[in-house]
Amino acid sequence: MLSINRRGALGLIGAATSTIVLPRMSFAQDKRPSVKIAVQKITNNNTLCVWNEQSNAGERVFFPNLWEGLILRDWMGNQGPVAGLATEWRRIDDKTLELKLRKGVKFHNGDELTAEDVAFSFSKERLFGETEPKGGKTIFADEHKPATAKELPASVPGIGRRVWPALAGVEVIDKHTVRFHNATPDVTLEGRLYAFGSQITNRRAWDEAASFTEWARKPITTGPYMVEDFKPDVSLTLAAFDEYWGGRPPLERIQFVEVPEVASRVNGLLSGEYDFACDLPPDQIATVQSASGFEIQGSTILNHRISVFNTQNPVLADPRVRRAMTHAIDRKAIVEALWGGQTVIPAGLQFEIFKTTDMFIDGWQVPEYNPGLAQDLLKQTNYKGDAIPYRLLNNYYTNQTANAQIMVEMWKQVGLNVEIQMKENWAQIHDPEGIKGVRDWSASANINDPVTPMVTQFGPNGEMQQKKDWTNAEMNELSVVLETSTDRALRKKAYARMLEICEREDPAYQVLHQNAVFTGMKSSLKWKAAPAFAMDFRSNNWAM
Amino acid sequence: MIRFVSIRLLRALVTILAVVTFAFVVLRISGDPAQVMLGPDVPQDAVDAFREAWGLDQPLWIQYLAYIHSIFTGDLGISMRDKESALQLVLERIPATLQLTIPALLLKLIIGIPAGVYAALHRQSGIDRGVIMLSILGFTIPSFVMGLLLVLIFSVTLGLLPSGGQGTWMHSLLPTITMSIGGIGLLARFSRSAMIEVMGQPYIRTASAKGLRWSDVVWQHALPNAAVPIVTIVGFMVGALLAGAVVVESIFSWPGIGRLLVVSVANRDLAVVQCILLLIAATMVVSNLIVDLLYGWLDPRLRGQAAH
């Protein structure tokens, strides 16, 4: 016969209660928040491929939540390299880098990360197409071919070779060890491994996709969040990947929604529709900050606003005119007037991140604001007030048009006649027909070495020289040193000289200010913006 | 009648061909899609490869002939951005746009015409002046101002409606209202002036003098005669069902044809832009054709003109 005493009865009641309460508590603990982020653009090319979508918009939705590389960028720190899918790496020689892969890393489809996936991620089929490495030939090509051929977008191999100009191949040593073989000596291999694009994808997922587009709309990666739904031009939803090697992600979902109008993004934030509103211009900061329960997080990013000169223009062929132009600009006034002092004037075409590789040139500055000097320089030339065309896009860059109008007035003050010509797109800016003069651009540091942007943008194969805007023989010789020398002191000396050439002696460009990005958000969210477009939603940057 | 319809069909085809040709030329001479799509920092190798892959390195007239040939074979091209059929991309967006434009059109008809007719029948009254004032206000305030104003009131301040995006039926309320306000004002003014003109005609006086009920005079004699200019305006509105939501879709982040058009033009996604323009032109032409036919039905005098 069943007998129940008082203690037994209490136990039964407790057990019964716990069957009701505990699952709910467990559910409550398991319940994670989701966030909705309004962005101006989700992607430019409607894919989520890191090589096909090399843009600020892409950086935001890719890193560090979706795509990961062997070496990661320290997004919330000094932007330098930290261990990622590789736990350690060592130099075999000047051309070879060996990396040990992190064990137990899972892709979103459940596959374990192996050396084969790494080799495939840098293969001809995935990246380089028919291109060959500079200074050598492709090796290990046949070993990593996918089961089905995919037609790469025509532009991808060219973009891949910009970051990896001389990569000959990736050798699989064992399941968790790879060697990167470069055709030329290169001290920046480690830096290139955490550049935008050098992230790892799952080979099986590529094989199983019917087309490049199908794969690129839902790439299988190792990040803390995986693609759940992607509607091009509309929304992208990332869902938590609980088998992430770095621990359980703090958010259930991250939804990026495309809201092209600034006013609509701000209104959506203030009405509670969105948790974050990105890409806010400086003039919207006060609006958001004055609303109760909202704040702005902003920071400078690894991108400088510059304007560049075309030396085919007979007036600008004289470097003294270009020098005059650089001394006529009061950068501080621009930063105060247009940016509310929320950004900085950098030390020329340098980034703080270069300090991590001891490539920062201390003491170097942008040309001083000195209208008198500008006028003196002009007097030394034959300049008679001929118009200098300024091909301009309507706010492709934040504050671009207002900035241009201010600069034109500043140039006018010293006697320079610069005429704005509004253009609709980059093709019109670069149109070889007609006379060019000055135009806007920006320069990014993709890695912690001045090879980007100094060589990639202004070197012999950079856009400036390819489009015949400007060239300099010594600059081209120094570019080879910066790209291939392994003598660090020599490289630093070469970089210092390049700054002198490009910013003083024979100006190719003038640095205006560092770019900054501003995000409006609900103050209740315990999240910090990185000094980048990327938005870090890993557990170390999200407090409940 | 057959000749009448045939001539108009022929004109419609010529119009569509003109639109397509114009779009083709303008899009190509106003920017290289490779440079626009790949951005300012991409290496020249990548730009060249893109041009070659999409045939943009060919002379313009070869590209044009190939395009016209493909249209006649039912192939409207592949999107450079999405690598998918341009027609498919456009068709996917049409329901979202119609979800806004059809209710907006109905609102315009249901509110605009009766308001205008009522104002005309009560000319110089307070209601008449009110209708005139509101209709001027309605169609002079640009839709991007009106949209933001409505969002500020109903989303930000009152928190009653979503500020943008496509989700529930409530998401479509503000964009639909924004789109309809201008059209309501326009239709009210046209209806009012058309009715005032008709009401001053001798046959209205005759009908009244015959002792007809006032409502019969209005419904049987005034309205059918006032309908011709109103139908013209409504015809344009129907023709703009696909194209009329460009601004509103951008303000409310509505994923319809309008936004696709803006994005595609900005990116010089040639096939998609041409496909959208082709559809818009076809809609407008068909709408005008129907209006032409309706004229004959509404006004028997016009049937005779059409026959000649």
Side-chain angles (χ1 to χ4, degrees), chain A residues 44-46 154-155 158-159 162 213 217 232-234 258-259 264 268 271 273 396 424-428 441 463 466-467, chain B residues 30 32 35-38 40-44 46 49 81-84 93 151 155-156 162-164 251 253 255 259 268:
Chain A
N44 289 323
N45 290 322
N46 283 355
S155 55
I159 295 167
R162 185 175 59 182
T213 304
R217 292 275 167 89
D233 296 330
V234 180
E258 194 163 305
V259 185
S264 302
S271 68
E273 186 100 355
Y396 176 87
E424 193 195 344
N425 52 51
W426 283 104
Q428 293 176 1
W441 205 14
E463 185 183 292
Q466 282 190 339
K467 295 205 182 306
Chain B
S30 62
D32 174 13
Q35 191 71 61
V36 175
M37 205 162 282
L38 300 179
D41 303 327
V42 76
Q44 190 60 37
R81 289 178 80 216
D82 293 272
K83 319 289 183 293
E84 291 177 20
R93 296 291 190 102
V151 168
S155 301
V156 178
S163 63
I251 295 169
S253 316
R259 270 192 69 199
R268 291 295 185 277

Short mmCIF file of all heavy atoms in Angstrom, two decimals, chain A residues 44-46 154-155 158-159 162 213 217 232-234 258-259 264 268 271 273 396 424-428 441 463 466-467, chain B residues 30 32 35-38 40-44 46 49 81-84 93 151 155-156 162-164 251 253 255 259 268:
data_model
loop_
_atom_site.label_atom_id
_atom_site.label_comp_id
_atom_site.label_asym_id
_atom_site.label_seq_id
_atom_site.Cartn_x
_atom_site.Cartn_y
_atom_site.Cartn_z
N ASN A 44 25.55 46.05 -52.51
CA ASN A 44 25.47 46.74 -53.81
C ASN A 44 25.21 45.78 -54.95
O ASN A 44 24.59 46.13 -55.95
CB ASN A 44 26.76 47.51 -54.09
CG ASN A 44 26.89 48.71 -53.18
OD1 ASN A 44 25.91 49.36 -52.86
ND2 ASN A 44 28.09 48.99 -52.73
N ASN A 45 25.74 44.56 -54.82
CA ASN A 45 25.66 43.62 -55.94
C ASN A 45 24.69 42.46 -55.69
O ASN A 45 24.72 41.46 -56.42
CB ASN A 45 27.05 43.06 -56.26
CG ASN A 45 27.93 44.13 -56.88
OD1 ASN A 45 27.46 44.94 -57.66
ND2 ASN A 45 29.19 44.15 -56.51
N ASN A 46 23.90 42.59 -54.65
CA ASN A 46 22.87 41.59 -54.35
C ASN A 46 23.40 40.19 -54.11
O ASN A 46 22.71 39.21 -54.38
CB ASN A 46 21.81 41.56 -55.46
CG ASN A 46 20.85 42.72 -55.33
OD1 ASN A 46 20.93 43.48 -54.37
ND2 ASN A 46 19.96 42.87 -56.28
N ALA A 154 32.57 38.18 -63.47
CA ALA A 154 33.76 38.54 -64.24
C ALA A 154 34.75 39.37 -63.44
O ALA A 154 35.96 39.31 -63.67
CB ALA A 154 33.33 39.32 -65.49
N SER A 155 34.26 40.13 -62.50
CA SER A 155 35.14 41.05 -61.77
C SER A 155 35.91 40.40 -60.63
O SER A 155 36.90 40.96 -60.16
CB SER A 155 34.30 42.19 -61.21
OG SER A 155 33.25 41.67 -60.43
N GLY A 158 39.89 39.74 -60.76
CA GLY A 158 40.67 40.98 -60.71
C GLY A 158 40.73 41.55 -59.30
O GLY A 158 41.77 42.02 -58.84
N ILE A 159 39.59 41.47 -58.61
CA ILE A 159 39.55 41.98 -57.24
C ILE A 159 40.39 41.09 -56.33
O ILE A 159 41.13 41.56 -55.46
CB ILE A 159 38.09 42.06 -56.75
CG1 ILE A 159 37.33 43.10 -57.58
CG2 ILE A 159 38.03 42.43 -55.27
CD1 ILE A 159 35.83 43.05 -57.41
N ARG A 162 43.98 41.82 -56.59
CA ARG A 162 44.40 43.07 -55.97
C ARG A 162 44.88 42.81 -54.54
O ARG A 162 45.86 43.38 -54.08
CB ARG A 162 43.25 44.08 -55.94
CG ARG A 162 43.67 45.44 -55.43
CD ARG A 162 42.55 46.44 -55.51
NE ARG A 162 41.39 46.00 -54.74
CZ ARG A 162 40.25 46.66 -54.67
NH1 ARG A 162 40.11 47.77 -55.35
NH2 ARG A 162 39.25 46.22 -53.95
N THR A 213 25.18 32.46 -58.11
CA THR A 213 24.20 33.32 -57.42
C THR A 213 23.52 32.58 -56.29
O THR A 213 23.35 33.11 -55.19
CB THR A 213 23.14 33.83 -58.43
OG1 THR A 213 23.82 34.50 -59.48
CG2 THR A 213 22.18 34.79 -57.78
N ARG A 217 23.93 33.80 -52.41
CA ARG A 217 22.80 34.35 -51.67
C ARG A 217 22.71 33.72 -50.27
O ARG A 217 22.04 34.23 -49.39
CB ARG A 217 21.49 34.08 -52.42
CG ARG A 217 21.35 34.85 -53.72
CD ARG A 217 20.80 36.23 -53.48
NE ARG A 217 20.95 37.09 -54.63
CZ ARG A 217 20.07 37.20 -55.62
NH1 ARG A 217 18.98 36.48 -55.59
NH2 ARG A 217 20.28 38.03 -56.62
N PRO A 232 17.18 40.40 -51.73
CA PRO A 232 18.00 41.50 -52.25
C PRO A 232 17.23 42.81 -52.31
O PRO A 232 16.06 42.83 -52.70
CB PRO A 232 18.39 41.01 -53.64
CG PRO A 232 18.34 39.53 -53.55
CD PRO A 232 17.20 39.23 -52.62
N ASP A 233 17.90 43.87 -51.91
CA ASP A 233 17.33 45.23 -51.89
C ASP A 233 16.23 45.40 -50.84
O ASP A 233 15.64 46.48 -50.76
CB ASP A 233 16.74 45.65 -53.25
CG ASP A 233 17.79 45.73 -54.33
OD1 ASP A 233 18.94 46.03 -54.00
OD2 ASP A 233 17.45 45.49 -55.51
N VAL A 234 15.93 44.37 -50.08
CA VAL A 234 14.84 44.49 -49.11
C VAL A 234 15.33 44.18 -47.69
O VAL A 234 15.32 45.04 -46.81
CB VAL A 234 13.67 43.55 -49.47
CG1 VAL A 234 12.54 43.68 -48.44
CG2 VAL A 234 13.14 43.86 -50.86
N GLU A 258 16.58 47.38 -45.63
CA GLU A 258 17.07 48.47 -46.48
C GLU A 258 16.08 49.63 -46.46
O GLU A 258 14.93 49.49 -46.88
CB GLU A 258 17.27 47.95 -47.90
CG GLU A 258 18.09 48.90 -48.75
CD GLU A 258 18.62 48.21 -50.00
OE1 GLU A 258 19.29 47.17 -49.88
OE2 GLU A 258 18.34 48.72 -51.10
N VAL A 259 16.53 50.75 -45.96
CA VAL A 259 15.71 51.97 -45.90
C VAL A 259 16.54 53.08 -46.54
O VAL A 259 17.38 53.69 -45.88
CB VAL A 259 15.34 52.32 -44.44
CG1 VAL A 259 14.40 53.51 -44.40
CG2 VAL A 259 14.74 51.13 -43.73
N SER A 264 13.63 58.52 -43.29
CA SER A 264 12.84 57.33 -42.97
C SER A 264 13.56 56.46 -41.94
O SER A 264 12.93 55.86 -41.08
CB SER A 264 12.56 56.52 -44.24
OG SER A 264 11.88 57.31 -45.19
N GLY A 268 11.98 55.81 -38.38
CA GLY A 268 11.78 54.41 -37.99
C GLY A 268 12.42 54.11 -36.65
O GLY A 268 11.89 53.36 -35.83
N SER A 271 10.37 55.89 -33.90
CA SER A 271 9.04 55.29 -33.67
C SER A 271 9.16 53.89 -33.07
O SER A 271 8.15 53.26 -32.78
CB SER A 271 8.26 55.22 -34.99
OG SER A 271 8.87 54.29 -35.86
N GLU A 273 10.44 51.27 -34.56
CA GLU A 273 10.42 50.24 -35.59
C GLU A 273 11.78 49.53 -35.69
O GLU A 273 11.85 48.33 -35.88
CB GLU A 273 10.10 50.90 -36.94
CG GLU A 273 9.90 49.94 -38.07
CD GLU A 273 8.43 49.72 -38.34
OE1 GLU A 273 7.61 50.25 -37.58
OE2 GLU A 273 8.11 49.01 -39.30
N TYR A 396 27.95 61.11 -52.88
CA TYR A 396 28.36 59.69 -52.79
C TYR A 396 29.05 59.50 -51.45
O TYR A 396 28.85 58.50 -50.76
CB TYR A 396 29.29 59.36 -53.96
CG TYR A 396 29.85 57.95 -53.92
CD1 TYR A 396 29.15 56.90 -54.48
CD2 TYR A 396 31.07 57.68 -53.31
CE1 TYR A 396 29.65 55.61 -54.43
CE2 TYR A 396 31.58 56.40 -53.26
CZ TYR A 396 30.87 55.36 -53.83
OH TYR A 396 31.36 54.09 -53.77
N GLU A 424 26.70 62.13 -62.57
CA GLU A 424 25.73 61.20 -62.00
C GLU A 424 26.37 59.94 -61.44
O GLU A 424 25.86 59.35 -60.49
CB GLU A 424 24.71 60.82 -63.08
CG GLU A 424 23.49 60.14 -62.53
CD GLU A 424 22.70 59.45 -63.61
OE1 GLU A 424 22.91 59.76 -64.80
OE2 GLU A 424 21.89 58.60 -63.28
N ASN A 425 27.46 59.51 -62.02
CA ASN A 425 28.04 58.24 -61.59
C ASN A 425 29.55 58.23 -61.86
O ASN A 425 30.10 59.16 -62.47
CB ASN A 425 27.35 57.07 -62.30
CG ASN A 425 27.33 57.25 -63.80
OD1 ASN A 425 28.36 57.52 -64.42
ND2 ASN A 425 26.15 57.16 -64.40
N TRP A 426 30.19 57.14 -61.41
CA TRP A 426 31.65 57.07 -61.51
C TRP A 426 32.13 57.00 -62.95
O TRP A 426 33.21 57.48 -63.27
CB TRP A 426 32.18 55.87 -60.73
CG TRP A 426 32.19 56.14 -59.27
CD1 TRP A 426 31.30 55.67 -58.34
CD2 TRP A 426 33.10 56.98 -58.56
NE1 TRP A 426 31.61 56.18 -57.11
CE2 TRP A 426 32.71 56.97 -57.21
CE3 TRP A 426 34.21 57.74 -58.93
CZ2 TRP A 426 33.39 57.69 -56.23
CZ3 TRP A 426 34.89 58.45 -57.95
CH2 TRP A 426 34.48 58.43 -56.63
N ALA A 427 31.32 56.40 -63.79
CA ALA A 427 31.71 56.32 -65.20
C ALA A 427 31.86 57.71 -65.79
O ALA A 427 32.77 57.98 -66.58
CB ALA A 427 30.69 55.50 -65.97
N GLN A 428 30.96 58.60 -65.40
CA GLN A 428 31.04 59.97 -65.90
C GLN A 428 32.23 60.71 -65.27
O GLN A 428 32.84 61.56 -65.91
CB GLN A 428 29.73 60.72 -65.61
CG GLN A 428 28.55 60.16 -66.40
CD GLN A 428 27.24 60.84 -66.05
OE1 GLN A 428 27.19 61.74 -65.22
NE2 GLN A 428 26.16 60.37 -66.66
N TRP A 441 37.68 61.22 -53.88
CA TRP A 441 37.92 59.78 -53.73
C TRP A 441 38.08 59.50 -52.25
O TRP A 441 38.06 60.43 -51.42
CB TRP A 441 39.21 59.41 -54.50
CG TRP A 441 39.28 57.96 -54.94
CD1 TRP A 441 38.24 57.07 -54.98
CD2 TRP A 441 40.44 57.26 -55.40
NE1 TRP A 441 38.69 55.87 -55.47
CE2 TRP A 441 40.03 55.95 -55.73
CE3 TRP A 441 41.77 57.59 -55.58
CZ2 TRP A 441 40.91 54.98 -56.20
CZ3 TRP A 441 42.64 56.64 -56.06
CH2 TRP A 441 42.22 55.34 -56.38
N GLU A 463 44.54 52.67 -59.40
CA GLU A 463 43.60 53.31 -60.32
C GLU A 463 44.11 54.65 -60.84
O GLU A 463 43.92 54.99 -62.01
CB GLU A 463 42.25 53.50 -59.62
CG GLU A 463 41.19 54.05 -60.55
CD GLU A 463 39.88 54.31 -59.84
OE1 GLU A 463 39.23 53.34 -59.43
OE2 GLU A 463 39.51 55.48 -59.69
N GLN A 466 46.48 53.83 -63.61
CA GLN A 466 45.80 53.11 -64.69
C GLN A 466 44.90 54.06 -65.49
O GLN A 466 44.75 53.91 -66.69
CB GLN A 466 44.98 51.95 -64.12
CG GLN A 466 45.84 50.75 -63.77
CD GLN A 466 45.02 49.53 -63.43
OE1 GLN A 466 43.86 49.63 -63.08
NE2 GLN A 466 45.63 48.36 -63.53
N LYS A 467 44.30 54.99 -64.81
CA LYS A 467 43.41 55.93 -65.51
C LYS A 467 44.18 57.16 -66.00
O LYS A 467 43.56 58.15 -66.43
CB LYS A 467 42.26 56.35 -64.60
CG LYS A 467 41.34 55.18 -64.25
CD LYS A 467 39.96 55.63 -63.90
CE LYS A 467 39.05 54.49 -63.51
NZ LYS A 467 38.96 53.40 -64.46
N SER B 30 25.07 57.57 -70.72
CA SER B 30 25.16 58.34 -69.47
C SER B 30 25.95 57.62 -68.39
O SER B 30 25.94 58.02 -67.24
CB SER B 30 23.76 58.65 -68.93
OG SER B 30 23.09 57.44 -68.65
N ASP B 32 28.97 54.06 -67.87
CA ASP B 32 29.36 52.68 -68.14
C ASP B 32 28.91 51.78 -66.99
O ASP B 32 29.34 51.98 -65.85
CB ASP B 32 30.89 52.64 -68.30
CG ASP B 32 31.41 51.23 -68.44
OD1 ASP B 32 30.58 50.33 -68.67
OD2 ASP B 32 32.62 51.04 -68.32
N GLN B 35 31.67 50.33 -64.61
CA GLN B 35 32.26 51.23 -63.62
C GLN B 35 31.25 51.56 -62.53
O GLN B 35 31.59 51.62 -61.35
CB GLN B 35 32.72 52.52 -64.32
CG GLN B 35 33.58 53.41 -63.46
CD GLN B 35 34.96 52.84 -63.21
OE1 GLN B 35 35.71 52.64 -64.14
NE2 GLN B 35 35.27 52.57 -61.96
N VAL B 36 30.00 51.75 -62.95
CA VAL B 36 28.97 52.10 -61.97
C VAL B 36 28.74 50.94 -61.01
O VAL B 36 28.67 51.11 -59.80
CB VAL B 36 27.65 52.45 -62.69
CG1 VAL B 36 26.55 52.70 -61.68
CG2 VAL B 36 27.85 53.68 -63.56
N MET B 37 28.65 49.74 -61.54
CA MET B 37 28.29 48.60 -60.73
C MET B 37 29.44 48.14 -59.84
O MET B 37 29.24 47.72 -58.71
CB MET B 37 27.85 47.45 -61.64
CG MET B 37 26.93 46.48 -60.94
SD MET B 37 26.03 45.48 -62.09
CE MET B 37 24.78 46.59 -62.65
N LEU B 38 30.66 48.24 -60.36
CA LEU B 38 31.80 47.73 -59.58
C LEU B 38 32.36 48.76 -58.63
O LEU B 38 33.14 48.41 -57.75
CB LEU B 38 32.89 47.23 -60.54
CG LEU B 38 32.46 46.10 -61.47
CD1 LEU B 38 33.60 45.69 -62.38
CD2 LEU B 38 31.99 44.89 -60.67
N PRO B 40 34.18 52.66 -57.41
CA PRO B 40 35.34 53.47 -57.78
C PRO B 40 36.68 52.80 -57.53
O PRO B 40 37.68 53.21 -58.10
CB PRO B 40 35.19 54.70 -56.87
CG PRO B 40 34.42 54.21 -55.69
CD PRO B 40 33.53 53.13 -56.18
N ASP B 41 36.73 51.80 -56.67
CA ASP B 41 38.03 51.28 -56.24
C ASP B 41 38.45 49.99 -56.94
O ASP B 41 39.47 49.41 -56.62
CB ASP B 41 38.01 51.03 -54.73
CG ASP B 41 37.65 52.29 -53.97
OD1 ASP B 41 38.03 53.37 -54.45
OD2 ASP B 41 37.00 52.19 -52.92
N VAL B 42 37.62 49.53 -57.86
CA VAL B 42 37.89 48.22 -58.44
C VAL B 42 38.99 48.32 -59.50
O VAL B 42 39.11 49.34 -60.20
CB VAL B 42 36.57 47.66 -59.04
CG1 VAL B 42 36.24 48.33 -60.35
CG2 VAL B 42 36.61 46.17 -59.18
N PRO B 43 39.87 47.31 -59.60
CA PRO B 43 40.94 47.39 -60.59
C PRO B 43 40.42 47.37 -62.03
O PRO B 43 39.34 46.83 -62.30
CB PRO B 43 41.79 46.15 -60.30
CG PRO B 43 40.96 45.26 -59.48
CD PRO B 43 39.95 46.11 -58.77
N GLN B 44 41.23 47.94 -62.92
CA GLN B 44 40.80 48.06 -64.31
C GLN B 44 40.57 46.68 -64.94
O GLN B 44 39.67 46.52 -65.77
CB GLN B 44 41.88 48.82 -65.10
CG GLN B 44 41.46 49.21 -66.50
CD GLN B 44 40.23 50.12 -66.54
OE1 GLN B 44 40.06 50.99 -65.69
NE2 GLN B 44 39.36 49.90 -67.51
N ALA B 46 39.26 44.12 -63.63
CA ALA B 46 37.91 43.66 -63.29
C ALA B 46 36.87 44.40 -64.14
O ALA B 46 35.90 43.79 -64.60
CB ALA B 46 37.65 43.89 -61.81
N ALA B 49 36.99 42.93 -67.64
CA ALA B 49 36.39 41.59 -67.68
C ALA B 49 34.87 41.68 -67.64
O ALA B 49 34.16 40.95 -68.34
CB ALA B 49 36.90 40.76 -66.50
N ARG B 81 23.19 42.63 -62.06
CA ARG B 81 23.40 42.53 -60.62
C ARG B 81 23.01 41.16 -60.10
O ARG B 81 23.70 40.56 -59.30
CB ARG B 81 22.57 43.57 -59.87
CG ARG B 81 23.03 44.97 -60.03
CD ARG B 81 22.09 45.89 -59.29
NE ARG B 81 22.35 45.91 -57.87
CZ ARG B 81 21.42 46.01 -56.93
NH1 ARG B 81 20.17 46.08 -57.26
NH2 ARG B 81 21.74 46.06 -55.66
N ASP B 82 21.86 40.67 -60.53
CA ASP B 82 21.32 39.45 -59.94
C ASP B 82 21.59 38.19 -60.74
O ASP B 82 21.34 37.11 -60.26
CB ASP B 82 19.80 39.61 -59.76
CG ASP B 82 19.47 40.66 -58.74
OD1 ASP B 82 19.40 40.31 -57.56
OD2 ASP B 82 19.33 41.83 -59.11
N LYS B 83 22.05 38.36 -61.96
CA LYS B 83 22.30 37.22 -62.86
C LYS B 83 21.05 36.38 -63.04
O LYS B 83 21.11 35.16 -63.16
CB LYS B 83 23.45 36.33 -62.33
CG LYS B 83 24.64 37.07 -61.75
CD LYS B 83 25.45 37.75 -62.81
CE LYS B 83 26.68 38.42 -62.23
NZ LYS B 83 26.45 39.56 -61.35
N GLU B 84 19.91 37.04 -62.98
CA GLU B 84 18.63 36.36 -63.18
C GLU B 84 17.87 37.06 -64.29
O GLU B 84 18.22 38.17 -64.67
CB GLU B 84 17.78 36.41 -61.90
CG GLU B 84 18.34 35.58 -60.76
CD GLU B 84 17.50 35.72 -59.49
OE1 GLU B 84 16.33 36.13 -59.60
OE2 GLU B 84 18.04 35.44 -58.42
N ARG B 93 8.18 41.90 -58.45
CA ARG B 93 7.92 43.14 -57.71
C ARG B 93 6.55 43.74 -58.00
O ARG B 93 6.11 44.63 -57.27
CB ARG B 93 9.00 44.18 -58.07
CG ARG B 93 10.41 43.81 -57.68
CD ARG B 93 10.56 43.82 -56.16
NE ARG B 93 11.96 43.70 -55.79
CZ ARG B 93 12.72 44.70 -55.39
NH1 ARG B 93 12.21 45.91 -55.32
NH2 ARG B 93 13.97 44.52 -55.04
N VAL B 151 4.26 60.10 -41.52
CA VAL B 151 5.07 59.23 -40.64
C VAL B 151 5.32 59.93 -39.31
O VAL B 151 5.22 59.31 -38.23
CB VAL B 151 6.40 58.86 -41.33
CG1 VAL B 151 7.36 58.22 -40.33
CG2 VAL B 151 6.15 57.91 -42.48
N SER B 155 3.36 57.66 -36.93
CA SER B 155 4.33 56.67 -36.45
C SER B 155 5.14 57.20 -35.27
O SER B 155 5.16 56.61 -34.21
CB SER B 155 5.28 56.26 -37.59
OG SER B 155 4.57 55.73 -38.66
N VAL B 156 5.81 58.34 -35.51
CA VAL B 156 6.73 58.84 -34.48
C VAL B 156 5.96 59.41 -33.29
O VAL B 156 6.23 59.07 -32.14
CB VAL B 156 7.68 59.90 -35.08
CG1 VAL B 156 8.60 60.46 -34.00
CG2 VAL B 156 8.49 59.30 -36.21
N PRO B 162 3.08 51.56 -38.61
CA PRO B 162 4.50 51.35 -38.93
C PRO B 162 5.02 52.46 -39.84
O PRO B 162 4.28 53.00 -40.66
CB PRO B 162 4.51 50.01 -39.67
CG PRO B 162 3.20 49.39 -39.41
CD PRO B 162 2.23 50.49 -39.14
N SER B 163 6.30 52.77 -39.69
CA SER B 163 6.87 53.88 -40.47
C SER B 163 7.35 53.44 -41.85
O SER B 163 7.62 54.28 -42.71
CB SER B 163 8.04 54.50 -39.71
OG SER B 163 9.06 53.54 -39.55
N GLY B 164 7.48 52.16 -42.06
CA GLY B 164 7.94 51.72 -43.39
C GLY B 164 8.06 50.21 -43.46
O GLY B 164 7.79 49.50 -42.49
N ILE B 251 10.42 56.29 -49.91
CA ILE B 251 10.22 56.84 -48.56
C ILE B 251 9.82 55.75 -47.58
O ILE B 251 10.30 55.72 -46.45
CB ILE B 251 9.11 57.92 -48.58
CG1 ILE B 251 9.56 59.11 -49.42
CG2 ILE B 251 8.77 58.38 -47.17
CD1 ILE B 251 8.43 60.08 -49.70
N SER B 253 10.29 52.48 -47.92
CA SER B 253 11.07 51.25 -48.09
C SER B 253 10.19 50.10 -48.55
O SER B 253 10.23 49.00 -48.02
CB SER B 253 11.74 50.86 -46.76
OG SER B 253 12.29 51.95 -46.14
N PRO B 255 9.14 47.37 -51.18
CA PRO B 255 9.90 46.65 -52.22
C PRO B 255 9.12 46.42 -53.51
O PRO B 255 8.85 45.29 -53.89
CB PRO B 255 10.23 45.32 -51.53
CG PRO B 255 9.11 45.12 -50.57
CD PRO B 255 8.65 46.47 -50.12
N ARG B 259 11.09 51.07 -56.46
CA ARG B 259 12.43 50.97 -55.85
C ARG B 259 13.37 50.17 -56.74
O ARG B 259 14.55 50.48 -56.86
CB ARG B 259 12.34 50.30 -54.48
CG ARG B 259 12.14 51.34 -53.38
CD ARG B 259 12.35 50.75 -52.03
NE ARG B 259 13.73 50.38 -51.78
CZ ARG B 259 14.11 49.53 -50.85
NH1 ARG B 259 13.21 48.95 -50.09
NH2 ARG B 259 15.36 49.25 -50.67
N ARG B 268 22.85 51.16 -63.30
CA ARG B 268 22.88 50.91 -64.73
C ARG B 268 22.68 49.42 -65.04
O ARG B 268 23.38 48.84 -65.86
CB ARG B 268 24.19 51.39 -65.36
CG ARG B 268 24.34 52.89 -65.37
CD ARG B 268 23.27 53.52 -66.28
NE ARG B 268 23.44 54.95 -66.42
CZ ARG B 268 23.00 55.86 -65.54
NH1 ARG B 268 22.36 55.48 -64.46
NH2 ARG B 268 23.19 57.14 -65.75
#
